[in-house]
């Protein structure tokens, strides 16, 4: 037994290193059709397979990163190839979860990262259990000792999952590789999980008092920007407006602009507000995602700022 246990630990650790660095593994488990249940696996596979230095601009956020920016249009304005723009969209991800991606984003070696921030960034709801990505140093930097202890079950679970890539993505891998054996919906199944639906319901019905510039997601955004800047990556943050009561009825668009504009004065990111952005209801596909018209307007709004930032860094 004294030999078996260390050998098993070594075997688990070695298999994690092999799988995490294996192009074959990530190509095999990459879902052919994006869906919420496999979104984290898709994103990590994309990051693992993308060659460092191949990305000039990364657009990162929740599902709005994949719907609200017209990549081809942005590339033409920036004077780069569309292939040099990488879009990292993690459906339902708050900025606390985006912060957990910072170490992986560093490995892209991008010139510029554009983070999309909706007004929900002001909602102070740290749902540690619902995170699909976890970085221990980031968690320890953003949460107090009391908060870590209060959610100790979630943190311990995430630490275990972080120890092995198969543990981290076990359900998504089953959906992609062996869906019929486990009687699971196929990888392309688009329904959200019940817990994700509940989180979205809480966010959409939260009272005005639940929104604050001291929210953990605002601190997470600041942490992400500082970490990327230390790595030599320029960071821009753009406000992505919502349609409906969340922004208009509660006045959160103005609050978000004031909060992040003030934060940008001390944090290493360029803030792109939406004071002069005119998006009619006809520009939205739903409450948060733009249609083709909205994508064009929003892309033309952020592109000149990003072009100046890239020009200031010079060509590769």
């Amino acid at each position: 037994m004294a030999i078996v246990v260390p050998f098993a630990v070594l075997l688990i650790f070695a298999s994690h290193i092999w799988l995490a660095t294996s192009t074959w593994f990530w190509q095999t488990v990459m879902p052919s059709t994006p869906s919420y249940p496999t979104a984290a696996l898709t994103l990590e596979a994309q990051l693992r397979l993308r060659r460092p230095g191949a990305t000039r601009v990364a657009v990162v956020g929740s599902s709005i990163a994949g719907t609200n920016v017209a990549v081809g249009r942005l590339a033409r304005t920036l004077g780069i190839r569309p292939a040099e723009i990488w879009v990292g969209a993690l459906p339902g991800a708050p900025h606390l979860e985006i912060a957990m991606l910072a170490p992986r984003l560093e490995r892209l070696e991008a010139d510029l990262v554009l983070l999309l921030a909706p007004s929900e960034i002001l909602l102070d709801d740290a749902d540690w259990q619902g995170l699909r990505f976890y970085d221990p140093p980031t968690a320890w930097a953003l949460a107090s000792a009391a908060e870590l202890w209060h959610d100790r079950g979630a943190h311990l679970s995430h630490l275990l999952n972080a120890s092995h890539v198969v543990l981290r993505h076990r359900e998504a891998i089953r959906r992609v590789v062996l869906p019929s054996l486990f009687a699971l919906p196929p990888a392309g199944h688009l329904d959200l999980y019940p817990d994700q639906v509940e989180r979205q319901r809480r966010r959409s019905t939260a009272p005005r008092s639940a929104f604050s510039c001291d929210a953990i997601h605002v601190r997470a955004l600041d942490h992400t920007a500082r970490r990327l800047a230390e790595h030599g990556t320029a960071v821009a943050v753009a406000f992505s407006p919502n349609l409906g009561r969340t922004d208009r009825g509660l006045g959160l668009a103005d609050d978000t602009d004031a909060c992040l504009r003030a934060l940008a004065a001390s944090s290493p990111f360029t803030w792109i507000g939406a004071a002069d952005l005119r998006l009619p209801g006809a520009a939205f596909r739903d409450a948060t995602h733009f249609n083709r018209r909205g994508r064009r307007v929003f892309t033309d709004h952020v592109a000149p700022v990003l072009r100046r930032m890239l020009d200031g860094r010079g060509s590769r």
Side-chain angles (χ1 to χ4, degrees), residues 128 139-151 155 216 219:
W128 293 102
W140 301 334
L142 294 174
S144 67
E147 291 169 331
L148 290 171
W149 177 253
H150 180 268
D151 293 299
H155 291 284
I216 190 169
R219 290 186 277 118

Side-chain angles (χ1 to χ4, degrees), residues 8-274:
V9 172
L10 180 62
L11 183 62
I12 292 172
F13 180 74
S15 66
H16 167 69
I17 296 298
W18 176 69
L19 291 174
T21 58
S22 169
T23 300
W24 169 84
F25 171 76
W26 291 109
Q27 289 175 338
T28 300
V29 301
M30 171 81 83
S32 58
T33 306
S35 66
Y36 177 79
T38 59
L41 176 63
T42 300
L43 191 62
E44 182 159 3
Q46 290 175 349
L47 286 166
R48 295 279 187 179
L49 293 172
R50 193 156 180 94
R51 179 175 57 83
T55 304
R56 296 294 306 280
V57 176
V59 180
V60 182
S62 63
S63 57
I64 59 177
T67 62
N68 291 7
V69 175
V71 172
R73 195 178 186 91
L74 179 61
R76 286 193 296 272
T77 303
L78 299 183
I80 62 178
R81 294 177 294 110
E84 294 179 292
I85 298 177
W86 178 76
V87 177
L90 187 60
H95 270 272
L96 175 60
E97 188 161 30
I98 300 301
M100 301 296 165
L101 285 171
R104 295 170 172 85
L105 295 176
E106 288 176 357
R107 292 196 287 268
L108 287 176
E109 297 182 6
D111 289 329
L112 170 65
V113 170
L114 170 64
L115 300 172
L116 299 188
S119 58
E120 285 83 2
I121 194 172
L122 301 185
L123 183 58
D124 198 12
D125 64 338
D127 180 15
W128 293 102
Q129 187 64 51
L131 298 181
R132 289 154 290 180
F133 286 97
Y134 187 80
D135 177 59
T138 299
W140 301 334
L142 294 174
S144 67
E147 291 169 331
L148 290 171
W149 177 253
H150 180 268
D151 293 299
R152 57 191 178 279
H155 291 284
L156 288 172
S157 175
H158 286 311
L159 283 172
L160 177 63
N161 289 339
S163 68
H164 202 287
V165 64
V166 173
L167 281 176
R168 184 159 64 247
H169 297 298
R170 56 190 177 276
E171 186 170 346
I173 291 173
R174 289 200 299 263
R175 286 178 178 271
V176 174
V177 180
L178 298 169
S180 58
L181 179 61
F182 289 91
L184 294 168
H189 190 64
L190 297 178
D191 288 347
L192 299 181
Y193 281 3
D195 62 332
Q196 177 67 8
V197 173
E198 174 59 21
R199 284 197 296 274
Q200 290 188 348
R201 187 198 64 79
R202 290 202 309 269
R203 291 170 187 169
S204 64
T205 59
R208 179 67 184 80
S209 58
F211 295 83
S212 166
C213 196
D214 295 325
I216 190 169
H217 304 299
V218 176
R219 290 186 277 118
L221 173 66
D222 179 48
H223 180 86
T224 304
R226 292 183 184 279
R227 179 152 187 172
L228 292 174
E230 290 173 359
H231 193 70
T233 299
V235 181
V237 180
F239 178 62
S240 183
N242 289 337
L243 175 67
R245 81 165 195 95
T246 304
D247 280 350
R248 295 181 178 180
L250 300 181
L252 289 175
D254 292 339
D255 288 359
T256 305
D257 182 78
C259 172
L260 297 186
R261 188 178 299 278
L263 180 62
S266 58
S267 188
F269 68 82
T270 297
W271 170 241
I272 307 175

